[in-house]
Short mmCIF file of all heavy atoms in Angstrom, two decimals:
data_model
loop_
_atom_site.label_atom_id
_atom_site.label_comp_id
_atom_site.label_asym_id
_atom_site.label_seq_id
_atom_site.Cartn_x
_atom_site.Cartn_y
_atom_site.Cartn_z
N GLU A 929 2.62 16.73 22.31
CA GLU A 929 1.16 16.72 22.30
C GLU A 929 0.59 16.58 23.70
O GLU A 929 -0.45 17.15 24.01
CB GLU A 929 0.64 15.61 21.39
CG GLU A 929 0.80 15.95 19.92
CD GLU A 929 0.42 14.83 18.99
OE1 GLU A 929 0.09 13.72 19.46
OE2 GLU A 929 0.45 15.06 17.76
N LYS A 930 1.26 15.85 24.56
CA LYS A 930 0.78 15.69 25.94
C LYS A 930 0.88 16.99 26.73
O LYS A 930 0.20 17.18 27.71
CB LYS A 930 1.54 14.57 26.63
CG LYS A 930 1.16 13.21 26.07
CD LYS A 930 1.96 12.10 26.68
CE LYS A 930 1.52 10.79 26.05
NZ LYS A 930 2.56 9.84 25.88
N ALA A 931 1.75 17.90 26.27
CA ALA A 931 1.94 19.19 26.95
C ALA A 931 0.98 20.26 26.42
O ALA A 931 0.90 21.35 26.99
CB ALA A 931 3.38 19.66 26.78
N ILE A 932 0.25 19.96 25.36
CA ILE A 932 -0.67 20.93 24.77
C ILE A 932 -1.84 21.16 25.74
O ILE A 932 -2.36 20.22 26.32
CB ILE A 932 -1.18 20.41 23.41
CG1 ILE A 932 -0.03 20.43 22.40
CG2 ILE A 932 -2.35 21.22 22.89
CD1 ILE A 932 -0.36 19.78 21.08
N PRO A 933 -2.27 22.42 25.89
CA PRO A 933 -3.40 22.69 26.80
C PRO A 933 -4.69 22.01 26.34
O PRO A 933 -4.91 21.80 25.16
CB PRO A 933 -3.56 24.21 26.75
CG PRO A 933 -2.49 24.74 25.89
CD PRO A 933 -1.76 23.61 25.26
N VAL A 934 -5.54 21.70 27.31
CA VAL A 934 -6.83 21.06 27.05
C VAL A 934 -7.80 22.09 26.47
O VAL A 934 -7.80 23.25 26.87
CB VAL A 934 -7.39 20.46 28.36
CG1 VAL A 934 -8.80 19.93 28.17
CG2 VAL A 934 -6.48 19.35 28.86
N LEU A 935 -8.64 21.65 25.55
CA LEU A 935 -9.67 22.51 24.96
C LEU A 935 -10.66 22.92 26.05
O LEU A 935 -11.19 22.07 26.77
CB LEU A 935 -10.41 21.76 23.85
CG LEU A 935 -11.56 22.50 23.17
CD1 LEU A 935 -11.05 23.75 22.44
CD2 LEU A 935 -12.28 21.58 22.19
N GLU A 936 -10.89 24.22 26.18
CA GLU A 936 -11.82 24.74 27.19
C GLU A 936 -12.80 25.72 26.56
O GLU A 936 -13.17 26.72 27.16
CB GLU A 936 -11.04 25.41 28.32
CG GLU A 936 -10.21 24.44 29.12
CD GLU A 936 -9.48 25.08 30.28
OE1 GLU A 936 -9.66 26.29 30.51
OE2 GLU A 936 -8.74 24.36 30.96
N TYR A 937 -13.25 25.43 25.37
CA TYR A 937 -14.19 26.27 24.64
C TYR A 937 -15.60 26.02 25.16
O TYR A 937 -15.97 24.87 25.38
CB TYR A 937 -14.07 25.94 23.14
CG TYR A 937 -14.87 26.82 22.23
CD1 TYR A 937 -14.59 28.17 22.10
CD2 TYR A 937 -15.89 26.28 21.45
CE1 TYR A 937 -15.31 28.97 21.23
CE2 TYR A 937 -16.60 27.07 20.58
CZ TYR A 937 -16.32 28.41 20.47
OH TYR A 937 -17.04 29.20 19.60
N ASP A 938 -16.39 27.07 25.36
CA ASP A 938 -17.71 26.93 25.98
C ASP A 938 -18.88 26.85 25.01
O ASP A 938 -20.01 26.57 25.43
CB ASP A 938 -17.97 28.11 26.93
CG ASP A 938 -17.03 28.09 28.12
OD1 ASP A 938 -16.61 26.99 28.53
OD2 ASP A 938 -16.70 29.18 28.62
N GLU A 939 -18.67 27.12 23.76
CA GLU A 939 -19.77 27.15 22.78
C GLU A 939 -19.90 25.81 22.06
O GLU A 939 -18.95 25.02 22.02
CB GLU A 939 -19.52 28.28 21.77
CG GLU A 939 -19.46 29.66 22.39
CD GLU A 939 -20.75 30.06 23.08
OE1 GLU A 939 -21.83 29.80 22.52
OE2 GLU A 939 -20.68 30.64 24.18
N PRO A 940 -21.07 25.56 21.44
CA PRO A 940 -21.25 24.30 20.70
C PRO A 940 -20.26 24.21 19.53
O PRO A 940 -19.97 25.20 18.86
CB PRO A 940 -22.69 24.39 20.17
CG PRO A 940 -23.34 25.45 20.97
CD PRO A 940 -22.28 26.39 21.43
N LEU A 941 -19.79 23.01 19.31
CA LEU A 941 -18.76 22.77 18.30
C LEU A 941 -18.91 21.33 17.81
O LEU A 941 -19.24 20.43 18.59
CB LEU A 941 -17.40 22.96 18.96
CG LEU A 941 -16.13 22.92 18.16
CD1 LEU A 941 -16.07 24.08 17.17
CD2 LEU A 941 -14.93 23.01 19.11
N LEU A 942 -18.68 21.12 16.54
CA LEU A 942 -18.64 19.77 15.99
C LEU A 942 -17.16 19.41 15.85
O LEU A 942 -16.39 20.18 15.28
CB LEU A 942 -19.33 19.72 14.63
CG LEU A 942 -19.43 18.37 13.94
CD1 LEU A 942 -20.25 17.39 14.77
CD2 LEU A 942 -20.04 18.54 12.56
N ILE A 943 -16.77 18.28 16.41
CA ILE A 943 -15.38 17.84 16.31
C ILE A 943 -15.34 16.60 15.42
O ILE A 943 -15.98 15.59 15.72
CB ILE A 943 -14.78 17.54 17.69
CG1 ILE A 943 -14.77 18.82 18.53
CG2 ILE A 943 -13.37 16.96 17.54
CD1 ILE A 943 -14.28 18.64 19.94
N ILE A 944 -14.58 16.71 14.33
CA ILE A 944 -14.42 15.60 13.41
C ILE A 944 -13.00 15.06 13.59
O ILE A 944 -12.02 15.76 13.37
CB ILE A 944 -14.62 16.04 11.94
CG1 ILE A 944 -16.04 16.59 11.72
CG2 ILE A 944 -14.29 14.89 10.99
CD1 ILE A 944 -17.15 15.57 11.84
N THR A 945 -12.91 13.82 14.02
CA THR A 945 -11.61 13.18 14.22
C THR A 945 -11.19 12.52 12.92
O THR A 945 -11.91 11.67 12.38
CB THR A 945 -11.69 12.15 15.35
OG1 THR A 945 -12.07 12.84 16.55
CG2 THR A 945 -10.36 11.45 15.55
N LEU A 946 -10.04 12.93 12.42
CA LEU A 946 -9.52 12.39 11.17
C LEU A 946 -8.50 11.30 11.46
O LEU A 946 -7.73 11.40 12.42
CB LEU A 946 -8.85 13.50 10.35
CG LEU A 946 -9.75 14.68 9.98
CD1 LEU A 946 -8.93 15.77 9.30
CD2 LEU A 946 -10.90 14.23 9.10
N GLY A 947 -8.50 10.28 10.62
CA GLY A 947 -7.49 9.23 10.71
C GLY A 947 -6.32 9.56 9.80
O GLY A 947 -6.21 10.68 9.29
N ASP A 948 -5.46 8.59 9.59
CA ASP A 948 -4.34 8.79 8.68
C ASP A 948 -4.84 8.96 7.24
O ASP A 948 -5.89 8.44 6.87
CB ASP A 948 -3.37 7.60 8.76
CG ASP A 948 -2.67 7.54 10.11
OD1 ASP A 948 -2.47 8.61 10.73
OD2 ASP A 948 -2.30 6.43 10.53
N TRP A 949 -4.08 9.69 6.46
CA TRP A 949 -4.45 10.04 5.09
C TRP A 949 -4.65 8.81 4.22
O TRP A 949 -3.89 7.84 4.28
CB TRP A 949 -3.37 10.93 4.48
CG TRP A 949 -3.72 11.41 3.11
CD1 TRP A 949 -3.29 10.89 1.92
CD2 TRP A 949 -4.60 12.48 2.77
NE1 TRP A 949 -3.83 11.59 0.87
CE2 TRP A 949 -4.64 12.57 1.37
CE3 TRP A 949 -5.34 13.38 3.53
CZ2 TRP A 949 -5.40 13.53 0.70
CZ3 TRP A 949 -6.09 14.33 2.86
CH2 TRP A 949 -6.13 14.40 1.47
N VAL A 950 -5.69 8.87 3.37
CA VAL A 950 -5.97 7.84 2.37
C VAL A 950 -6.10 8.55 1.03
O VAL A 950 -6.90 9.48 0.88
CB VAL A 950 -7.30 7.10 2.69
CG1 VAL A 950 -7.66 6.14 1.58
CG2 VAL A 950 -7.22 6.39 4.04
N ASP A 951 -5.29 8.14 0.05
CA ASP A 951 -5.39 8.70 -1.30
C ASP A 951 -6.59 8.07 -1.99
O ASP A 951 -6.59 6.88 -2.30
CB ASP A 951 -4.13 8.39 -2.12
CG ASP A 951 -2.96 9.25 -1.73
OD1 ASP A 951 -3.14 10.47 -1.58
OD2 ASP A 951 -1.85 8.69 -1.56
N GLU A 952 -7.63 8.86 -2.18
CA GLU A 952 -8.84 8.36 -2.86
C GLU A 952 -9.65 9.57 -3.33
O GLU A 952 -10.19 10.30 -2.51
CB GLU A 952 -9.67 7.50 -1.92
CG GLU A 952 -10.92 6.94 -2.57
CD GLU A 952 -11.73 6.10 -1.61
OE1 GLU A 952 -11.18 5.11 -1.09
OE2 GLU A 952 -12.90 6.45 -1.37
N GLU A 953 -9.72 9.76 -4.61
CA GLU A 953 -10.47 10.89 -5.15
C GLU A 953 -11.96 10.68 -4.92
O GLU A 953 -12.48 9.58 -5.12
CB GLU A 953 -10.18 11.03 -6.65
CG GLU A 953 -10.75 12.28 -7.25
CD GLU A 953 -10.32 12.48 -8.69
OE1 GLU A 953 -9.12 12.69 -8.93
OE2 GLU A 953 -11.21 12.39 -9.56
N SER A 954 -12.64 11.74 -4.47
CA SER A 954 -14.09 11.65 -4.27
C SER A 954 -14.71 13.05 -4.34
O SER A 954 -14.02 14.06 -4.20
CB SER A 954 -14.42 11.00 -2.92
OG SER A 954 -13.90 11.75 -1.85
N ASP A 955 -16.00 13.08 -4.57
CA ASP A 955 -16.74 14.33 -4.65
C ASP A 955 -16.92 14.91 -3.25
O ASP A 955 -16.98 14.18 -2.26
CB ASP A 955 -18.12 14.10 -5.27
CG ASP A 955 -18.02 13.68 -6.74
OD1 ASP A 955 -17.01 14.01 -7.38
OD2 ASP A 955 -18.96 13.01 -7.21
N ILE A 956 -17.03 16.23 -3.20
CA ILE A 956 -17.34 16.93 -1.96
C ILE A 956 -18.49 17.89 -2.21
O ILE A 956 -18.80 18.21 -3.36
CB ILE A 956 -16.11 17.68 -1.39
CG1 ILE A 956 -15.57 18.70 -2.39
CG2 ILE A 956 -15.04 16.70 -0.94
CD1 ILE A 956 -14.48 19.60 -1.82
N PRO A 957 -19.16 18.35 -1.16
CA PRO A 957 -20.28 19.28 -1.34
C PRO A 957 -19.86 20.52 -2.13
O PRO A 957 -18.73 21.01 -2.00
CB PRO A 957 -20.65 19.66 0.10
CG PRO A 957 -20.25 18.47 0.90
CD PRO A 957 -18.98 17.99 0.25
N GLY A 958 -20.77 20.99 -2.97
CA GLY A 958 -20.51 22.16 -3.79
C GLY A 958 -19.97 21.82 -5.17
O GLY A 958 -19.64 22.70 -5.95
N GLY A 959 -19.85 20.52 -5.46
CA GLY A 959 -19.42 20.11 -6.79
C GLY A 959 -17.93 19.93 -6.97
O GLY A 959 -17.47 19.68 -8.07
N GLY A 960 -17.16 20.07 -5.91
CA GLY A 960 -15.71 19.90 -6.01
C GLY A 960 -15.28 18.45 -5.87
O GLY A 960 -16.10 17.55 -5.69
N THR A 961 -13.98 18.25 -5.96
CA THR A 961 -13.38 16.93 -5.81
C THR A 961 -12.20 17.04 -4.85
O THR A 961 -11.43 17.99 -4.93
CB THR A 961 -12.87 16.41 -7.17
OG1 THR A 961 -13.97 16.41 -8.09
CG2 THR A 961 -12.30 15.02 -7.06
N ARG A 962 -12.08 16.07 -3.97
CA ARG A 962 -10.91 16.01 -3.09
C ARG A 962 -10.04 14.84 -3.54
O ARG A 962 -10.53 13.87 -4.11
CB ARG A 962 -11.31 15.89 -1.63
CG ARG A 962 -12.06 14.61 -1.27
CD ARG A 962 -12.46 14.61 0.18
NE ARG A 962 -13.22 13.40 0.49
CZ ARG A 962 -13.88 13.22 1.62
NH1 ARG A 962 -13.89 14.17 2.55
NH2 ARG A 962 -14.54 12.10 1.85
N GLN A 963 -8.75 14.95 -3.23
CA GLN A 963 -7.79 13.94 -3.67
C GLN A 963 -7.59 12.83 -2.64
O GLN A 963 -6.87 11.87 -2.89
CB GLN A 963 -6.46 14.60 -3.99
CG GLN A 963 -6.56 15.62 -5.12
CD GLN A 963 -7.24 15.05 -6.35
OE1 GLN A 963 -6.83 14.02 -6.88
NE2 GLN A 963 -8.30 15.69 -6.80
N GLY A 964 -8.20 12.98 -1.49
CA GLY A 964 -8.08 11.98 -0.44
C GLY A 964 -8.78 12.48 0.81
O GLY A 964 -9.44 13.53 0.79
N TYR A 965 -8.65 11.73 1.89
CA TYR A 965 -9.26 12.13 3.15
C TYR A 965 -8.38 11.64 4.30
O TYR A 965 -7.58 10.72 4.15
CB TYR A 965 -10.69 11.61 3.28
CG TYR A 965 -10.80 10.10 3.23
CD1 TYR A 965 -10.73 9.35 4.40
CD2 TYR A 965 -10.96 9.43 2.03
CE1 TYR A 965 -10.82 7.97 4.36
CE2 TYR A 965 -11.05 8.06 1.98
CZ TYR A 965 -10.98 7.33 3.15
OH TYR A 965 -11.06 5.97 3.12
N GLY A 966 -8.54 12.29 5.44
CA GLY A 966 -7.73 11.96 6.60
C GLY A 966 -6.75 13.09 6.88
O GLY A 966 -6.98 14.25 6.50
N TYR A 967 -5.63 12.75 7.51
CA TYR A 967 -4.66 13.75 7.93
C TYR A 967 -3.26 13.24 7.62
O TYR A 967 -2.91 12.11 7.93
CB TYR A 967 -4.80 13.99 9.45
CG TYR A 967 -4.18 15.26 9.93
CD1 TYR A 967 -4.88 16.45 9.89
CD2 TYR A 967 -2.88 15.28 10.41
CE1 TYR A 967 -4.31 17.63 10.33
CE2 TYR A 967 -2.30 16.45 10.86
CZ TYR A 967 -3.03 17.62 10.82
OH TYR A 967 -2.46 18.79 11.25
N LYS A 968 -2.46 14.10 6.99
CA LYS A 968 -1.08 13.74 6.63
C LYS A 968 -0.14 14.11 7.78
O LYS A 968 -0.26 15.19 8.36
CB LYS A 968 -0.65 14.48 5.36
CG LYS A 968 -1.44 14.06 4.14
CD LYS A 968 -0.97 14.82 2.90
CE LYS A 968 -1.75 14.41 1.68
NZ LYS A 968 -1.32 15.16 0.48
#
């Protein structure tokens, strides 16, 4: 990961930093359901 190139994108962007995965069912926009949140 330390060898990965740095982000050099010039346009506006939203960056969402995810933590470790949590198993927890919840609603999401559009009427769906997710089984958890974070990153595995």
Side-chain angles (χ1 to χ4, degrees):
E929 286 175 355
K930 290 177 180 145
I932 291 173
V934 173
L935 178 64
E936 294 183 3
Y937 186 65
D938 293 330
E939 299 298 318
L941 186 66
L942 183 62
I943 297 176
I944 299 292
T945 300
L946 301 174
D948 292 331
W949 184 261
V950 174
D951 284 314
E952 181 180 301
E953 188 173 294
S954 61
D955 294 335
I956 58 172
T961 303
R962 64 183 178 191
Q963 299 308 306
Y965 61 90
Y967 198 86
K968 295 180 180 179

